[in-house]
Amino acid sequence: MLIGRDTCLGVVRARLERANASHGGLVLVTGEAGIGKTSLVRRAAREARELGMLALHGTCWNSEGTPGYWPWTQAIRSLRHGATGEEWARAATAAGGALPVLLGEGARSQEVDRFQLFDAVTSMLTGASQSRPVAVVLEDLHWADAASLGLLEFAAQHTWFERLLIIGTYRDVEVRRPDHPLQPLLEPLTAKATTIRLQGLTPGEVAELMARTAGSRPGAALADEVCRRTGGNPFFVEETARLWSAGQSVATIAPGVGAALHRRLALLGEPAVDLLGHAAVLGREFARGTLARTAGADEDRTGGLLREAARAGLVEPLETGRFIFTHDLVRESLYEALDAPRLRRVHAAAVRALLASGDVADPVRPTELARHAYFAGEELPADEAVDLLVGAARHAASRLADEEAVGHYRRALERLGTEASRRRLLLTLDLGLELQLIGEHERSWLAFEDATAQASALGDPALLGRVALTLYGADGRGDGTGLKPRVVREAHGLLVRGDAAGAGAVAAGAAPGAAAAGAAPAAAGAGALPGVVKEVARHVVAVARGAGDDDALHIGLWAGLHAVWEPTARSSACGTTR
């Protein structure tokens, strides 16, 4: 029974009944942390199942280690788990080649772009609703990645004429902050949704919740005081009631859940609190074995301490060997209590623990490793941290989660430092290409300009050639300085004619062709650029073959082929044939 939520539950129930009978929609449940959003939507999911609907669930996570589209991946997995064989086969057919990407279980298909991914998810859900109405619950959207919210907006447009209801929750107080990155994405969704904002409980409802939690009903004056101190937030009220039932005075409890949680944690032994601190670093959900390795503890001893924490209501067991914090605020409070040096040490220990687990098939593993590697700071060697961040970036790109990939590349470059190096240059190029995929064209060309300057500083003509060929294949939007043709011609000057001043002219921002004053006239016009690219590509391919550099070889061969099929190149070829 939900206390003080009859009206809100009635609204959700009406939308469920409408979706079950004819058409669906979007419902957004908002409110501060601990106000009862999760309790309301889980009750809604239970009632949806009682109506015969297929109830799907996904949760966002506040972590750099969360893969893009994570709430939707969970929802599709729950569709696979809850659907009949016939329903799942129909849904999988609707998804087509995007299904492995949706489930995070396969490599990126070059045939699947973002629109196709959005359409595949929507087609799966609407297709499933043809045989059985569907309710999708997506929790904690304030922690969602931008791509997941884009998919939500896309899917919500197709719910009205389908028996499909999507219910989302988020903390509106956080999203209203002007610096919140998802504000421009979440707020427009409210125009398409029925929005339910949960408020604090009344003093009478606080008294009822305290009686249920503590087993003893407080007097009216005490309930009034607790209501005033907690704002009627159900989670805060429950924490206060537990401390009150343990014999502590309500008057001594500081406002806010942080103080209440610290008092409650003090009821545990120090080893259990220390272990929970390690668990907080791992995330809201964690495996017992991974936690034991991170903390350097015996697994049986770890299991005993987790049972102690479960009895205190701080964690709950899931499937075999896995646990979850009962509330995000529990984990956040534990995490914030760790000082910076210890946080770095525990993050580094988490990297070693996850690598030792050997569960390479886990689709979340690359992003988990990247998060811990980044926050481990100097506790982890820079090369190892960068390897893990780059691996996560490429894994994200394989799942079309390009915003996530950009974040990993930025953090890898940050960890490398500012000194020019071959690796830093190549990662800067990768960052530029990913920025183009998310439409950040001007920023992509800033990255390409940085890569060009690094190539000049390194003084490697073949590397400048690789930069030139990468830029030649890039989208020219945002190239406000004519960097693409300039770098191509300067690379041509260095590789083909051996101009000593080529790289320096690029670094100084010389006009296109300025360093190649003695170049043949054919190289001066824009129409000759494909021919220049072919010559640069031949030299890059030759160097790559000699060095065994497969990546550079691929770029050189592709650029040469692209130049051959450039419209001006085709016209020239046709004219010669005739």
Side-chain angles (χ1 to χ4, degrees):
M1 176 183 175
L2 295 177
I3 296 174
R5 300 297 183 228
D6 291 347
T7 301
C8 299
L9 184 59
V11 173
V12 176
R13 186 177 290 134
R15 296 300 182 272
L16 284 170
E17 291 171 350
R18 186 181 70 180
N20 192 50
S22 57
H23 58 280
L26 173 65
V27 174
L28 294 176
V29 181
T30 74
E32 65 181 4
I35 201 68
K37 300 182 294 296
T38 293
S39 297
L40 180 65
V41 298
R42 291 187 180 178
R43 172 66 176 270
R46 190 185 79 190
E47 294 198 6
R49 286 189 287 269
E50 291 172 354
L51 289 170
M53 302 176 72
L54 184 59
L56 313 181
H57 183 262
T59 303
C60 307
W61 185 24
N62 182 27
S63 168
E64 296 290 346
T66 308
Y69 301 106
W70 183 237
W72 291 103
T73 298
Q74 295 173 81
I76 297 304
R77 288 178 180 173
S78 62
L79 173 61
R80 178 171 60 180
H81 176 74
T84 65
E86 181 179 351
E87 288 172 333
W88 174 248
R90 185 162 51 248
T93 301
L99 185 57
V101 178
L102 293 173
L103 294 173
E105 296 173 354
R108 177 175 186 162
S109 167
Q110 297 301 320
E111 271 46 32
V112 179
D113 60 23
R114 179 166 294 195
F115 175 83
Q116 290 171 308
L117 185 67
F118 285 13
D119 185 58
V121 173
T122 305
S123 297
M124 291 185 79
L125 297 176
T126 57
S129 72
Q130 299 302 310
S131 59
R132 189 168 21 151
V134 176
V136 182
V137 174
L138 302 175
E139 291 192 65
D140 296 328
L141 292 172
H142 52 280
W143 287 332
D145 57 291
S148 290
L149 291 182
L151 177 47
L152 173 58
E153 183 175 14
F154 184 94
Q157 297 179 43
H158 297 79
T159 59
W160 183 255
F161 295 105
E162 306 289 345
R163 295 189 300 170
L164 169 63
L165 180 67
I166 302 177
I167 305 173
T169 73
Y170 69 94
R171 297 179 186 174
D172 54 346
V173 175
E174 292 188 15
V175 173
R176 283 201 298 266
R177 292 199 328 260
D179 61 335
H180 196 288
L182 300 181
Q183 184 188 56
L185 300 175
L186 262 176
E187 289 194 343
L189 285 171
T190 61
K192 303 179 176 70
T194 298
T195 301
I196 302 171
R197 190 176 192 284
L198 300 185
Q199 306 287 345
L201 303 179
T202 66
E205 292 163 347
V206 165
E208 184 177 356
L209 181 56
M210 290 183 70
R212 179 190 297 180
T213 304
S216 177
R217 191 174 187 88
L222 182 59
D224 285 344
E225 182 178 358
V226 172
C227 187
R228 177 179 57 82
R229 288 180 174 272
T230 64
N233 182 298
F235 179 70
F236 295 2
V237 171
E238 288 177 336
E239 295 305 307
T240 302
R242 288 190 177 98
L243 293 172
W244 173 60
S245 69
Q248 300 190 41
S249 170
V250 170
T252 65
I253 298 176
V257 71
L261 281 172
H262 284 117
R263 290 175 181 273
R264 185 171 169 195
L265 286 167
L267 301 176
L268 297 176
E270 185 177 343
V273 175
D274 181 73
L275 184 74
L276 289 179
H278 286 78
V281 172
L282 290 177
R284 187 181 180 195
E285 185 179 324
F286 53 90
R288 182 183 60 206
T290 302
L291 175 58
R293 287 188 292 271
T294 300
D298 176 82
E299 191 163 343
D300 289 339
R301 172 67 171 159
T302 298
L305 293 174
L306 286 173
R307 286 191 291 275
E308 180 184 344
R311 287 192 295 271
L314 294 168
V315 299
E316 294 176 356
L318 298 174
E319 68 271 18
T320 304
R322 295 193 68 80
F323 288 80
I324 187 171
F325 282 102
T326 53
H327 197 287
D328 286 323
L329 296 179
V330 175
R331 186 188 70 84
E332 291 167 9
S333 179
L334 286 160
Y335 189 90
E336 291 170 2
L338 302 176
D339 60 38
R342 189 180 181 202
L343 273 176
R344 290 193 292 271
R345 291 194 297 272
V346 177
H347 278 295
V351 170
R352 292 188 284 270
L354 289 168
L355 290 174
S357 71
D359 188 9
V360 295
D362 184 352
V364 186
R365 185 56 47 85
T367 42
E368 277 189 307
L369 284 167
R371 176 176 71 93
H372 292 303
Y374 178 71
F375 288 114
E378 299 301 325
E379 293 291 330
L380 203 66
D383 286 343
E384 183 179 356
V386 171
D387 285 343
L388 294 172
L389 286 161
V390 171
R394 291 174 179 165
H395 182 262
S398 76
R399 295 180 284 102
L400 302 179
D402 297 304
E403 290 94 345
E404 179 193 341
V406 165
H408 290 311
Y409 279 128
R410 288 193 191 281
R411 286 184 283 276
L413 289 167
E414 178 187 332
R415 192 70 178 85
L416 276 176
T418 58
E419 185 177 350
S421 67
R422 176 183 175 86
R423 187 174 200 188
R424 190 179 190 283
L425 183 152
L426 296 179
L427 290 182
T428 304
L429 287 177
D430 288 338
L431 171 62
L433 294 173
E434 285 296 329
L435 285 167
Q436 293 215 329
L437 290 176
I438 64 174
E440 295 279 358
H441 295 288
E442 291 185 4
R443 291 183 180 177
S444 75
W445 283 97
L446 290 175
F448 293 147
E449 187 174 354
D450 183 15
T452 302
Q454 292 180 59
S456 174
L458 292 169
D460 184 341
L463 204 52
L464 181 64
R466 180 165 174 176
V467 172
L469 297 182
T470 301
L471 270 58
Y472 179 68
D475 189 326
R477 287 177 291 175
D479 182 12
T481 65
L483 184 65
K484 179 190 291 194
R486 185 167 77 242
V487 176
V488 167
R489 290 195 171 97
E490 303 307 343
H492 180 268
L494 283 170
L495 288 168
V496 180
R497 296 190 308 278
D499 292 348
V506 175
L529 195 60
V532 176
V533 169
K534 284 191 289 183
E535 292 187 350
V536 172
R538 278 197 294 271
H539 281 73
V540 169
V541 166
V543 173
R545 282 178 171 153
D549 187 341
D550 290 341
D551 289 339
L553 180 62
H554 169 80
I555 290 170
L557 291 172
W558 179 90
L561 182 63
H562 188 192
V564 168
W565 289 102
E566 191 80 9
T568 54
R570 290 202 303 271
S571 299
S572 174
C574 291
T576 302
T577 302
R578 287 195 296 269

Coordinates of all heavy atoms in Angstrom, one line a residue, residues 321-359:
G321 N 24.9 -14.1 -6.1 CA 26.1 -13.3 -6.0 C 26.1 -11.9 -6.3 O 27.1 -11.2 -6.3
R322 N 24.9 -11.3 -6.5 CA 24.8 -9.9 -6.8 C 24.0 -9.2 -5.8 O 23.0 -9.7 -5.3 CB 24.3 -9.6 -8.3 CG 25.2 -10.2 -9.3 CD 24.8 -9.6 -10.7 NE 25.0 -8.2 -10.9 CZ 26.1 -7.6 -11.1 NH1 27.2 -8.4 -11.3 NH2 26.2 -6.3 -11.2
F323 N 24.3 -7.9 -5.6 CA 23.6 -7.1 -4.6 C 23.3 -5.7 -5.2 O 24.0 -5.3 -6.2 CB 24.4 -6.9 -3.3 CG 24.5 -8.2 -2.5 CD1 25.4 -9.2 -2.8 CD2 23.7 -8.3 -1.4 CE1 25.5 -10.3 -2.1 CE2 23.8 -9.5 -0.6 CZ 24.6 -10.5 -1.0
I324 N 22.4 -5.0 -4.6 CA 22.1 -3.6 -5.0 C 21.8 -2.7 -3.8 O 21.2 -3.2 -2.8 CB 20.8 -3.6 -6.0 CG1 20.6 -2.2 -6.6 CG2 19.6 -4.1 -5.2 CD1 19.5 -2.2 -7.6
F325 N 22.2 -1.5 -3.8 CA 21.9 -0.6 -2.7 C 20.4 -0.3 -2.8 O 19.8 -0.2 -3.8 CB 22.7 0.7 -2.9 CG 24.1 0.6 -2.5 CD1 25.1 0.5 -3.4 CD2 24.5 0.7 -1.1 CE1 26.5 0.4 -3.0 CE2 25.8 0.6 -0.7 CZ 26.8 0.5 -1.6
T326 N 19.8 -0.2 -1.6 CA 18.4 0.0 -1.5 C 17.9 1.3 -2.1 O 16.8 1.5 -2.5 CB 17.9 -0.2 -0.1 OG1 18.6 0.7 0.8 CG2 18.0 -1.6 0.4
H327 N 18.8 2.3 -2.1 CA 18.5 3.6 -2.6 C 19.8 4.3 -3.1 O 20.9 4.1 -2.5 CB 17.8 4.5 -1.5 CG 17.1 5.7 -2.1 ND1 17.8 6.8 -2.6 CD2 15.8 5.9 -2.3 CE1 16.9 7.7 -3.0 NE2 15.7 7.2 -2.8
D328 N 19.7 5.1 -4.1 CA 20.9 5.8 -4.6 C 21.5 6.7 -3.5 O 22.7 6.8 -3.5 CB 20.5 6.6 -5.8 CG 20.3 5.8 -7.1 OD1 21.0 4.8 -7.2 OD2 19.4 6.1 -7.9
L329 N 20.7 7.2 -2.7 CA 21.2 8.1 -1.6 C 22.1 7.4 -0.7 O 23.0 8.0 -0.1 CB 20.1 8.8 -0.9 CG 19.2 9.8 -1.8 CD1 18.1 10.4 -1.0 CD2 20.1 10.9 -2.4
V330 N 21.9 6.1 -0.5 CA 22.7 5.3 0.4 C 24.1 5.3 -0.2 O 25.2 5.5 0.4 CB 22.2 3.9 0.6 CG1 23.2 3.0 1.4 CG2 20.8 3.9 1.3
R331 N 24.2 4.9 -1.5 CA 25.5 4.8 -2.2 C 26.2 6.2 -2.3 O 27.4 6.3 -2.0 CB 25.3 4.2 -3.6 CG 26.6 3.9 -4.3 CD 26.4 3.6 -5.7 NE 25.9 4.7 -6.5 CZ 26.7 5.6 -7.1 NH1 28.0 5.5 -6.9 NH2 26.3 6.6 -7.8
E332 N 25.4 7.2 -2.6 CA 26.0 8.5 -2.7 C 26.6 9.0 -1.4 O 27.7 9.6 -1.4 CB 24.9 9.5 -3.2 CG 24.5 9.3 -4.7 CD 23.2 10.1 -5.0 OE1 22.8 10.9 -4.2 OE2 22.7 9.8 -6.1
S333 N 25.9 8.7 -0.3 CA 26.4 9.2 1.0 C 27.7 8.4 1.3 O 28.7 9.1 1.8 CB 25.4 8.9 2.0 OG 25.8 9.3 3.3
L334 N 27.8 7.2 1.0 CA 29.0 6.4 1.3 C 30.2 6.9 0.4 O 31.3 7.0 0.9 CB 28.7 4.9 1.1 CG 27.9 4.2 2.1 CD1 27.3 2.9 1.6 CD2 28.8 3.9 3.4
Y335 N 29.9 7.1 -0.8 CA 30.9 7.5 -1.8 C 31.5 8.9 -1.4 O 32.7 9.1 -1.4 CB 30.3 7.6 -3.2 CG 31.3 7.8 -4.3 CD1 31.9 6.7 -4.9 CD2 31.6 9.1 -4.7 CE1 32.8 6.9 -5.9 CE2 32.6 9.3 -5.7 CZ 33.1 8.2 -6.3 OH 34.1 8.4 -7.4
E336 N 30.6 9.8 -1.0 CA 31.1 11.2 -0.7 C 31.9 11.2 0.6 O 32.6 12.1 0.9 CB 29.9 12.1 -0.6 CG 29.2 12.4 -1.9 CD 27.9 13.1 -1.8 OE1 27.5 13.4 -0.7 OE2 27.2 13.3 -2.8
A337 N 31.7 10.1 1.5 CA 32.5 10.1 2.7 C 33.9 9.7 2.5 O 34.7 9.8 3.4 CB 31.8 9.1 3.7
L338 N 34.3 9.2 1.3 CA 35.7 8.8 1.1 C 36.5 9.9 0.6 O 36.1 10.7 -0.3 CB 35.7 7.7 0.0 CG 34.9 6.4 0.3 CD1 34.9 5.5 -0.9 CD2 35.4 5.7 1.5
D339 N 37.7 10.1 1.2 CA 38.6 11.2 0.7 C 39.2 10.9 -0.6 O 39.2 9.7 -1.1 CB 39.6 11.5 1.8 CG 40.6 10.3 2.0 OD1 40.9 9.6 1.1 OD2 40.9 10.1 3.2
A340 N 39.7 11.9 -1.3 CA 40.2 11.8 -2.7 C 41.3 10.7 -2.8 O 41.2 9.9 -3.8 CB 40.6 13.1 -3.2
P341 N 42.3 10.7 -2.0 CA 43.3 9.6 -2.2 C 42.8 8.2 -2.1 O 43.1 7.3 -2.9 CB 44.3 9.9 -1.0 CG 44.1 11.4 -0.7 CD 42.7 11.6 -0.9
R342 N 41.8 8.0 -1.1 CA 41.3 6.7 -1.0 C 40.4 6.3 -2.2 O 40.4 5.2 -2.7 CB 40.5 6.6 0.3 CG 40.1 5.1 0.6 CD 39.3 4.9 1.8 NE 39.0 3.5 2.0 CZ 38.0 3.1 2.8 NH1 37.2 3.9 3.4 NH2 37.7 1.8 2.9
L343 N 39.6 7.3 -2.7 CA 38.8 7.1 -3.9 C 39.7 6.6 -5.0 O 39.3 5.6 -5.7 CB 38.0 8.3 -4.2 CG 36.7 8.6 -3.6 CD1 36.2 9.9 -4.0 CD2 35.7 7.5 -3.9
R344 N 40.8 7.2 -5.2 CA 41.7 6.9 -6.4 C 42.2 5.4 -6.2 O 42.2 4.6 -7.1 CB 42.8 7.8 -6.5 CG 42.4 9.2 -7.0 CD 43.6 10.0 -7.4 NE 44.4 10.4 -6.3 CZ 44.3 11.5 -5.6 NH1 43.3 12.4 -5.9 NH2 45.1 11.8 -4.5
R345 N 42.5 5.1 -4.9 CA 43.1 3.7 -4.7 C 42.0 2.7 -4.9 O 42.3 1.6 -5.5 CB 43.6 3.6 -3.2 CG 44.9 4.4 -3.0 CD 45.5 4.0 -1.7 NE 44.7 4.3 -0.5 CZ 44.6 5.4 0.1 NH1 45.4 6.4 -0.2 NH2 43.8 5.6 1.2
V346 N 40.8 3.0 -4.5 CA 39.7 2.0 -4.6 C 39.3 1.8 -6.1 O 39.0 0.7 -6.6 CB 38.5 2.4 -3.8 CG1 37.3 1.4 -4.0 CG2 38.8 2.4 -2.3
H347 N 39.3 2.9 -6.8 CA 39.0 2.9 -8.3 C 40.1 2.0 -9.0 O 39.7 1.2 -9.9 CB 38.9 4.3 -8.9 CG 37.6 4.9 -8.7 ND1 36.4 4.4 -9.3 CD2 37.2 6.0 -8.0 CE1 35.4 5.2 -9.0 NE2 35.9 6.2 -8.2
A348 N 41.3 2.2 -8.6 CA 42.4 1.4 -9.2 C 42.2 -0.1 -8.8 O 42.4 -1.0 -9.7 CB 43.8 1.9 -8.8
A349 N 41.9 -0.3 -7.6 CA 41.6 -1.7 -7.2 C 40.4 -2.3 -8.0 O 40.5 -3.5 -8.3 CB 41.4 -1.8 -5.7
A350 N 39.4 -1.5 -8.3 CA 38.3 -2.0 -9.0 C 38.7 -2.4 -10.4 O 38.2 -3.4 -11.0 CB 37.2 -0.9 -9.1
V351 N 39.6 -1.6 -11.0 CA 40.1 -2.0 -12.4 C 40.8 -3.4 -12.3 O 40.5 -4.3 -13.1 CB 41.2 -1.0 -12.9 CG1 41.9 -1.5 -14.1 CG2 40.5 0.4 -13.2
R352 N 41.6 -3.6 -11.3 CA 42.3 -4.9 -11.2 C 41.3 -6.0 -11.0 O 41.5 -7.1 -11.5 CB 43.4 -4.8 -10.1 CG 44.6 -3.9 -10.5 CD 45.7 -4.0 -9.5 NE 45.4 -3.3 -8.3 CZ 45.6 -2.0 -8.0 NH1 46.2 -1.3 -9.0 NH2 45.3 -1.4 -6.9
A353 N 40.3 -5.7 -10.1 CA 39.3 -6.8 -9.8 C 38.5 -7.1 -11.0 O 38.2 -8.3 -11.3 CB 38.4 -6.3 -8.7
L354 N 38.1 -6.1 -11.8 CA 37.3 -6.4 -13.0 C 38.1 -7.1 -14.1 O 37.6 -8.0 -14.7 CB 36.7 -5.1 -13.6 CG 35.6 -4.4 -12.7 CD1 35.4 -3.0 -13.2 CD2 34.3 -5.3 -12.8
L355 N 39.3 -6.8 -14.2 CA 40.2 -7.4 -15.2 C 40.4 -8.9 -14.8 O 40.5 -9.8 -15.6 CB 41.5 -6.7 -15.4 CG 41.5 -5.4 -16.1 CD1 42.8 -4.7 -16.0 CD2 41.0 -5.5 -17.5
A356 N 40.5 -9.1 -13.5 CA 40.7 -10.5 -13.0 C 39.5 -11.4 -13.1 O 39.6 -12.6 -13.1 CB 41.2 -10.4 -11.5
S357 N 38.3 -10.8 -13.3 CA 37.1 -11.6 -13.3 C 37.0 -12.3 -14.6 O 36.3 -13.4 -14.7 CB 35.9 -10.7 -13.1 OG 35.7 -9.9 -14.3
G358 N 37.6 -11.8 -15.7 CA 37.6 -12.5 -17.0 C 36.2 -12.6 -17.7 O 36.1 -13.3 -18.7
D359 N 35.3 -11.8 -17.2 CA 33.9 -11.8 -17.9 C 33.9 -10.8 -19.0 O 33.3 -9.8 -19.0 CB 32.9 -11.4 -16.9 CG 31.5 -11.6 -17.4 OD1 31.3 -12.2 -18.5 OD2 30.5 -11.2 -16.7

